[in-house]
Amino acid sequence: MNRHHWWRDAVIYQVYVRSFLDSTGDGIGDLAGVRAGLPYLRKLGVDGIWLSPFYPSPQHDHGYDVADYRDVDPVFGDLAEFDRLVGAAHRLGIRVLLDIVPNHCSSEHPWFREALAAAPGSPERARFHFADGRGSDGGEPPNNWHAMFGGPAWTRVTEPDGRPGQWYLHMFTPEQPDWNWREPAVAAEFDRTLRFWLDRGVDGFRIDVAAGLFKHPDLPDSPDPEADARTRDSVNPLAWNQPEVHGVWRHWRAVCEEYTARDGRERLLVGEVSVPSAREHAKYVRPDELHQAFFFDLLGAPWDADAFRKVVSEAMQDIAGTGSTVTWVLNNHDQVRTVTRYGEPAEGSGLGAARARAAALLMLALPGAAYIYQGEELGLPEVVDLPDDVLTDPIFRRTGSRARIRDGCRVPLPWSGQASPFGFTSGTESAKPWLPQPEYFAEYATHRALADTRSSWHLYRDGLQLRAALHQLGEGSLHWLETQPGVLAFTRGDDLVCAVNFGTAPVPAPVPGTPLLASGPCPPGELPGSTAAWWIDGS
């Protein structure tokens, strides 16, 4: 394998900065905290980190409402601290990806403030989607689209003269107006942003809402106006996945290639792409577009051997066929944590934990790249009982519903000790993390996980070490094996097998003399419940 293309089989760790480690005692994680945690991540064995947004922001959506794309919010540090973080990461062999948000900005962004102060039809308003309302007085939204976070996708403004005026589009919240990428000034501004951070040494970008950016030029009514809000996904075909978006990624790829040509250090573009099928997904990772795009179908698959096999097969056929590699993911900052998602309350929490461990080994054995959300290596469950008065997710604020809110997976990490803040903050024991940590987090603290060789942390670390050591893993192909119902098994190369039991049937032991390299909590020869194992032919 050509190691110049480091991203093809890289394992990247997602750092949700405000919940990783707090260096100042204010209860909010920061860039200095990330820097302090780099040795922990080096020990785990990841190839890089993806930092959630740390830009200046009023934090209506925790940084995904960006007010300035080329600076650091004081709550997280400053540009000097960012430079120290990048330097420290590179010295440890850890690459750094930034989260960039090109679909929308903050309503506090200077350009949006200029648009509000300008007249209809002005160049300032052309940078966003401003439109006249319907009805005799313009009092109805320009179309029937709904925002993903609840409510209509349009908000009416008060014009500078005090009269009710035009409406602007926001596919998430009113505090996050959508950019109009049909306006050349927007593309030019993001070019400046890319180069600003590339010049500071970053290794690439995770692109938020990468299938967005362009809307249908006529902004027509949707035949299913509530689809986005109902599914909490970008499914309105008039607002997402427009063909023009591919031109943006071709240009961004060219910018990255320009920097790579200068110093031989390959920069990565990985997109958050929500599209209807693996075949549509594949269009985003053609050789001249994004290097990678998260493949969410594995995350969304039910715990079923046939379902997993179908998802993996489609990805290998459609995505790997483009010349890219599949980018596997089981969790992120928007999803219920894996342990809880796979658990069945009637069975107790142990089943979810066993399944999460099995899924982790399965993901690390698949061809391609993998992304790990912070805390997954600790086996953290979702915090499901946060009181209403501490919830910060704009979905809750806009809908009043707790369904699919995201605070529960964003609770600050536990590092040490028996009580909150569990070493998360450098303040006193009375210091309060920005979201409260439950008492049971003591069981998952990193110092405890590192000391227990049976912990999920060691499972991840051992899996990552094996992945780095065995030439059969990483980039490549797989071959499915015939198995009994409820069991998934495949080979990587000629002498490595990954077997996952999705039910209760025993899985045959490896041939005599074959060493068991990694498994869940069970003896060789049987994989009850939900456990994965890797074998290698030692003959």
Side-chain angles (χ1 to χ4, degrees):
M1 180 173 57
N2 183 352
R3 296 305 304 175
H4 174 68
H5 300 301
W6 63 270
W7 50 270
R8 294 182 68 85
D9 64 351
V11 177
I12 307 295
Y13 186 95
Q14 181 190 353
V15 176
Y16 194 70
V17 176
R18 66 185 298 115
S19 296
F20 186 71
L21 186 60
D22 168 27
S23 71
T24 62
D26 65 358
I28 299 174
D30 46 52
L31 295 179
V34 177
R35 182 161 57 91
L38 288 174
Y40 165 81
L41 297 176
R42 175 62 176 169
K43 184 180 294 186
L44 183 62
V46 299
D47 299 300
I49 56 176
W50 147 29
L51 301 173
S52 62
F54 51 77
Y55 317 109
S57 165
Q59 302 293 319
H60 290 291
D61 190 19
H62 292 316
Y64 286 92
D65 49 324
V66 181
D68 183 347
Y69 287 86
R70 299 195 287 273
D71 204 349
V72 176
D73 194 301
V75 75
F76 299 122
D78 54 27
L79 285 171
E81 179 54 51
F82 174 81
D83 293 339
R84 287 190 288 269
L85 168 58
V86 172
H90 285 172
R91 286 191 292 274
L92 291 173
I94 296 173
R95 294 174 171 87
V96 180
L97 308 182
L98 302 194
D99 206 323
I100 192 166
V101 189
N103 180 72
H104 50 267
C105 66
S106 167
S107 55
E108 298 297 315
H109 191 284
W111 279 18
F112 190 71
R113 288 182 167 182
E114 291 174 10
L116 292 178
S122 63
E124 291 81 2
R125 289 202 174 179
R127 300 164 179 165
F128 302 90
H129 293 280
F130 278 83
D132 295 332
R134 295 192 289 196
S136 59
D137 61 352
E140 298 295 326
N143 66 27
N144 64 355
W145 297 0
H146 279 241
M148 286 178 62
F149 289 177
W154 295 90
T155 290
R156 196 175 194 184
V157 304
T158 300
E159 299 294 353
D161 62 6
R163 292 182 297 177
Q166 289 189 305
W167 299 69
Y168 69 89
L169 180 69
H170 49 82
M171 294 304 298
F172 291 89
T173 72
E175 294 84 12
Q176 294 167 289
D178 280 41
W179 291 106
N180 177 14
W181 275 81
R182 299 183 189 281
E183 169 55 48
V186 173
E189 178 67 1
F190 275 93
D191 262 22
R192 289 187 283 271
T193 294
L194 289 181
R195 293 178 184 279
F196 177 86
W197 294 111
L198 289 169
D199 288 342
R200 301 192 90 91
V202 304
D203 299 282
F205 301 92
R206 177 267 184 186
I207 304 166
D208 189 58
V209 196
L213 281 62
F214 285 86
K215 279 62 180 174
H216 190 288
D218 299 327
L219 299 175
D221 276 346
S222 168
D224 186 0
E226 297 183 0
D228 283 340
R230 183 178 64 250
T231 62
R232 275 275 322 283
D233 205 353
S234 48
V235 295
N236 178 353
L238 302 170
W240 313 106
N241 199 28
Q242 295 290 299
E244 295 93 333
V245 76
H246 295 283
V248 176
W249 308 138
R250 284 190 287 272
H251 177 70
W252 284 27
R253 179 68 174 259
V255 171
C256 287
E257 298 291 350
E258 173 190 328
Y259 277 79
T260 298
R262 293 181 188 177
D263 57 17
R265 188 163 59 88
E266 196 163 17
R267 275 63 166 193
L268 169 66
L269 297 174
V270 54
E272 180 193 34
V273 175
S274 296
V275 288
S277 67
R279 184 169 300 176
E280 196 69 24
H281 181 111
K283 295 179 181 179
Y284 285 81
V285 291
R286 291 175 286 198
D288 63 344
E289 293 195 35
L290 303 178
H291 300 80
Q292 297 177 331
F294 296 122
F295 186 65
F296 294 119
D297 291 32
L298 187 67
L299 185 159
W303 186 255
D304 175 82
D306 291 339
F308 267 58
R309 178 167 177 161
K310 180 177 184 293
V311 163
V312 172
S313 296
E314 289 179 351
M316 294 300 297
Q317 175 181 324
D318 293 327
I319 298 171
T322 67
S324 181
T325 54
V326 184
T327 306
W328 307 103
V329 58
L330 288 170
N331 208 275
N332 61 36
H333 63 291
D334 289 331
Q335 303 294 331
V336 173
R337 284 200 176 272
T338 311
V339 167
T340 303
R341 196 172 71 247
Y342 286 152
E344 296 177 4
E347 302 285 349
S349 61
L351 182 60
R355 289 175 171 177
R357 291 164 66 95
L361 286 181
L362 169 64
M363 178 178 71
L364 293 176
L366 290 171
Y371 281 67
I372 300 168
Y373 178 51
Q374 68 178 37
E376 291 290 290
E377 79 281 9
L378 302 175
L380 281 179
E382 185 87 353
V383 181
V384 298
D385 56 355
L386 292 168
D388 287 358
D389 62 353
V390 305
L391 296 178
T392 62
D393 195 325
I395 298 169
F396 178 71
R397 296 198 309 268
R398 287 183 60 78
T399 67
S401 171
R402 298 176 66 98
R404 301 179 67 185
I405 59 172
R406 302 163 296 169
D407 290 301
C409 69
R410 301 176 177 185
V411 175
L413 294 184
W415 289 87
S416 61
Q418 298 299 314
S420 183
F422 298 113
F424 165 71
T425 175
S426 62
T428 65
E429 289 192 2
S430 61
K432 292 184 178 181
W434 70 277
L435 280 174
Q437 301 159 304
E439 293 180 3
Y440 64 76
F441 262 31
E443 303 171 25
Y444 300 92
T446 58
H447 83 288
R448 186 168 179 169
L450 267 64
D452 180 2
T453 57
R454 300 166 300 175
S455 70
S456 291
W457 189 91
H458 279 274
L459 184 89
Y460 270 86
R461 195 278 304 270
D462 292 349
L464 287 168
Q465 286 185 338
L466 287 168
R467 183 181 168 97
L470 300 177
H471 67 86
Q472 302 94 325
L473 294 174
E475 186 176 354
S477 60
L478 61 77
H479 174 71
W480 294 110
L481 298 177
E482 293 299 322
T483 63
Q484 56 193 298
V487 174
L488 190 69
F490 55 85
T491 60
R492 299 295 317 276
D494 296 329
D495 52 6
L496 182 67
V497 174
C498 176
V500 185
N501 184 9
F502 285 76
T504 58
V507 176
V511 296
T514 302
L516 179 68
L517 292 183
S519 77
C522 68
E526 52 183 283
L527 299 174
S530 301
T531 311
W534 295 350
W535 293 277
I536 186 167
D537 186 355
S539 60

